[in-house]
Amino acid sequence: MKEEYFQYRDNELFIENINLYKLAQQCGTPCYVYSRATLEKNWADINQAFSTQPHEVCYAVKANSNLTILNLFANLGAGFDIVSYGELERVIAAGGDARKIIFSGVGKQHHEIAQAIHRGIQCFNVETAQELSHIHTIAHHYNKKINIALRINPDIDANTHPYIATGLRENKFGISLDQVIPLAKTILNMPFLNLIGIAIHIGSQITSLAPFQAAIEQLLAIYQQLHAIGITVSHINVGGGIGVRYHDEQPFKIDDYATMINSKLRHHPVTLLLEPGRWLMADAGVLLTEIAYLKKTHHKNFAIVDAGMNDILRPALYQAWQDIKPVIRRISEPQLYDIVGPLCESADFLGKERWLMINEGDYLAVCDVGAYGFSMSSNYNSRCRAAEILVDKDEIHIIRRRECIEDLLAQEGILLNEWLEIRK
Ligand code: LLP
C-alpha cells in the first residue's frame, strides 16, 4: 500500500481521508475498499515511464473487473486486455472503447470470437493454429478483416509461482518459437486476417527484469524473421506480469522496466502494448474483516475472522503472503496468531504466524488485495460475496453491494419449484 494514501493517524488506519474503522462500522465486513488516488497514481506513473515510446496500456481486466474500476480506467484513456465474453461486456458496460480491447486467452470459444468481432475490438492475441482458422471463418462470415497478433511462447522461466508462470514450453500458453513463422505464412493466405502484432505474457508477479529482457529479445528475433518474409507488424505486446512488493520482495522499478524495453525497441517502428493488471491495482485495495473469535490452543493462537478463502483466495491457492494490519492499533503485548476464516478447510487462512495486538471484535485490513482479490472470490460454503467500496478523498462509494441470501438462491429457487411441481 502507498504510505501517502494508506496510513495510521493517531493509531487509526485511513485510506485517503476515510477512517477505516468508521467505514467498517458503517458498511459492514468483509468488504473490499479501494483507493481511487492510488489507482490513478499507478496509471500516471506507468504512462510517464513509457512516455518517450508510442505505447498503449491495456489494463488486464481479470485483476479487478468491477464496473466502476473499469470506468475509472476507461476515463483515464486505458485500453483493456480481456479473456472472456464476460470481460468484454463488462468493459463495454463500463464505457470502455471496444477499439482499445485486446482479446487474449488460450480457449476463446466460437461465440466469444463472434461477439468480439461484432463489438469491433482492436485485436485478438492468437494462441493456436486452430484458433486462427476459427477466427478466419467467423471473420469471413461477417465479411470483416480482423486484426490479430500471435502470442509467442518464448520458453522462458519467469521465476514466479508455478501456477502463474506462463512462458515455459510446458505451459499451455502461446505458440512455440519454431511454429511462429510457418503459421505467419499461412496467415498470408487468409484474406480476412491482418497480422498486426506479436505478443508475449510470460507470467505474473515477476520481480526481476532478466526474464522480461530475454523474452523481448526472442520477440524481436521473431519481428526480424517476419520482416524477412514481408510481414512488418505494427505492435509489440509485452503482456503483463510486473511484480509488486507484498512482503520482502524487491521488484524492479517501473522506470527501469521502461528503460530496458525502450532500449530494446528503439530502432523498431512499433507501438508498444502493455497488459498490466496487478501493478495497477494490487496496492489500491484492502479487505476489511472483523475478528469473530480468538481461539487459543496448546499449539497455536487463532484469530478467526469473518473473511475467508472464498473472499481472498491467494493465500490458500499460492501460499501468498498478504500483509495484515489492525485497523486500530493497540498498545499491548503482541502475540503470534494464524489469521483464519470460517470455511471448512484448513487451507482457509489469510495469514500465518503474525505478531498482532488484537481483541475479539477488532477489525483487520488485509493489504494489497486490489488485484486478484474480489475477482477470484466465490460463494464457496454458500457465503455471500463481500461488498466493494471506492474511496475518493473524503467520499465513500459502494461500487458493489454485499450479496444477500436472495442473490445466493436466485439461480436455483425457481428451478427447485419447477422440480417439485413435476414430482407432485
Ligand atoms: N495478460 C495476460 C495474457 C494474462 O494472462 C495476465 C494474467 C495479464 C496480462 C496480467 O498479468 P499481471 O500484470 O496482473 O501480472 N491470480 C493470480 C494471477 C494470475 C494472472 C493471470 N494472467 C494471482 O493472484 O497472483
Side-chain angles (χ1 to χ4, degrees):
M1 308 294 295
K2 292 192 204 309
E3 200 50 52
E4 64 257 58
Y5 305 124
F6 184 73
Q7 55 184 234
Y8 285 102
R9 297 184 194 164
D10 295 332
N11 291 323
E12 300 195 357
L13 201 52
F14 278 68
I15 278 193
E16 302 193 20
N17 292 329
I18 295 294
N19 178 319
L20 288 178
Y21 175 81
K22 290 188 184 151
L23 185 147
Q25 290 264 302
Q26 189 184 332
C27 301
T29 54
C31 65
Y32 276 90
V33 187
Y34 308 120
S35 151
R36 176 179 182 177
T38 304
L39 172 172
E40 294 193 342
K41 167 99 174 75
N42 289 342
W43 177 259
D45 284 354
I46 197 166
N47 282 289
Q48 175 59 33
F50 286 98
S51 57
T52 58
Q53 165 92 34
H55 72 280
E56 274 175 42
V57 178
C58 299
Y59 167 63
V61 172
K62 63 175 81 65
N64 185 321
S65 47
N66 181 284
L67 293 178
T68 304
I69 299 293
L70 297 180
N71 177 259
L72 289 175
F73 279 116
N75 288 339
L76 291 167
F80 296 93
D81 163 58
I82 62 161
V83 291
S84 68
Y85 171 51
E87 288 190 351
L88 172 68
E89 290 305 308
R90 279 183 173 275
V91 171
I92 302 294
D97 182 349
R99 289 165 306 175
K100 291 186 177 176
I101 293 177
I102 304 291
F103 199 157
S104 303
V106 73
K108 302 176 197 78
Q109 297 169 47
H110 243 90
H111 77 94
E112 297 183 301
I113 295 169
Q115 293 287 358
I117 290 177
H118 171 69
R119 290 286 189 192
I121 68 162
Q122 180 180 140
C123 185
F124 288 91
N125 283 347
V126 173
E127 306 217 13
T128 61
Q130 295 79 353
E131 181 190 342
L132 203 59
S133 72
H134 268 145
I135 298 177
H136 188 248
T137 309
I138 300 168
H140 188 176
H141 174 79
Y142 281 94
N143 196 25
K144 275 192 183 171
K145 190 144 184 159
I146 298 304
N147 290 335
I148 57 151
L150 295 179
R151 173 169 173 185
I152 291 149
N153 180 325
D155 192 21
I156 280 166
D157 186 354
N159 285 323
T160 185
H161 189 282
Y163 292 2
I164 53 176
T166 51
L168 283 166
R169 64 172 164 222
E170 63 254 38
N171 300 132
K172 67 182 173 184
F173 300 98
I175 297 158
S176 58
L177 285 169
D178 57 333
Q179 284 175 13
V180 179
I181 297 302
L183 207 57
K185 286 182 180 159
T186 68
I187 298 171
L188 292 174
N189 298 319
M190 295 178 155
F192 291 93
L193 296 185
N194 199 10
L195 177 56
I196 63 161
I198 43 178
I200 45 164
H201 172 76
I202 57 170
S204 195
Q205 183 55 9
I206 302 168
T207 51
S208 79
L209 281 178
F212 280 115
Q213 192 158 341
I216 290 165
E217 280 163 12
Q218 300 276 29
L219 260 188
L220 291 179
I222 298 282
Y223 176 91
Q224 297 303 353
Q225 291 167 32
L226 287 172
H227 195 67
I229 59 164
I231 300 171
T232 306
V233 294
S234 59
H235 82 237
I236 285 191
N237 182 339
V238 296
I242 310 165
V244 301
R245 187 182 169 101
Y246 286 106
H247 187 200
D248 49 9
E249 304 91 337
Q250 299 285 343
F252 51 80
K253 301 226 168 8
I254 197 70
D255 286 339
D256 295 336
Y257 177 67
T259 305
M260 182 276 286
I261 294 184
N262 286 341
S263 74
K264 297 266 168 229
L265 295 193
R266 199 175 315 145
H267 303 299
H268 299 78
V270 289
T271 299
L272 169 70
L273 263 58
L274 303 130
E275 299 173 352
R278 187 189 314 270
W279 195 85
L280 289 170
M281 274 310 292
D283 68 354
V286 295
L287 173 63
L288 293 184
T289 181
E290 182 178 347
I291 301 173
Y293 302 100
L294 291 181
K295 175 172 177 174
K296 306 203 169 190
T297 71
H298 292 310
H299 299 288
K300 273 197 173 215
N301 299 326
F302 295 100
I304 304 172
V305 299
D306 66 0
M309 63 190 287
N310 73 299
D311 298 298
I312 175 73
L313 186 60
R314 302 195 72 253
L317 189 57
Y318 314 114
Q319 293 73 51
W321 196 97
Q322 306 286 159
D323 194 13
I324 298 178
K325 290 189 189 305
V327 167
I328 296 200
R329 213 157 37 184
R330 298 179 176 281
I331 310 300
S332 63
E333 240 344 83
Q335 294 195 33
L336 200 58
Y337 290 97
D338 280 5
I339 319 300
V340 299
L343 285 84
C344 300
E345 296 229 14
S346 291
D348 179 30
F349 64 92
L350 276 55
K352 289 194 170 169
E353 303 195 339
R354 307 296 174 90
W355 289 100
L356 290 167
M357 295 169 271
I358 45 177
N359 286 346
E360 284 179 7
D362 284 2
Y363 296 119
L364 297 174
V366 185
C367 301
D368 303 306
V369 292
Y372 307 112
F374 186 89
S375 64
M376 293 177 75
S377 69
S378 75
N379 293 118
Y380 186 40
N381 277 213
S382 287
R383 287 167 48 82
C384 295
R385 275 184 293 175
E388 291 179 286
I389 294 158
L390 179 72
V391 168
D392 183 10
K393 302 190 186 77
D394 39 23
E395 291 172 12
I396 64 172
H397 301 273
I398 312 269
I399 59 171
R400 190 179 208 274
R401 67 166 171 74
R402 182 180 306 289
E403 284 179 357
C404 60
I405 294 301
E406 289 72 22
D407 295 325
L408 267 189
L409 305 185
Q411 306 305 321
E412 300 152 53
I414 295 171
L415 299 177
L416 171 66
N417 289 340
E418 279 177 16
W419 162 256
L420 293 174
E421 206 49 47
I422 296 166
R423 307 261 304 178
K424 253 188 195 161

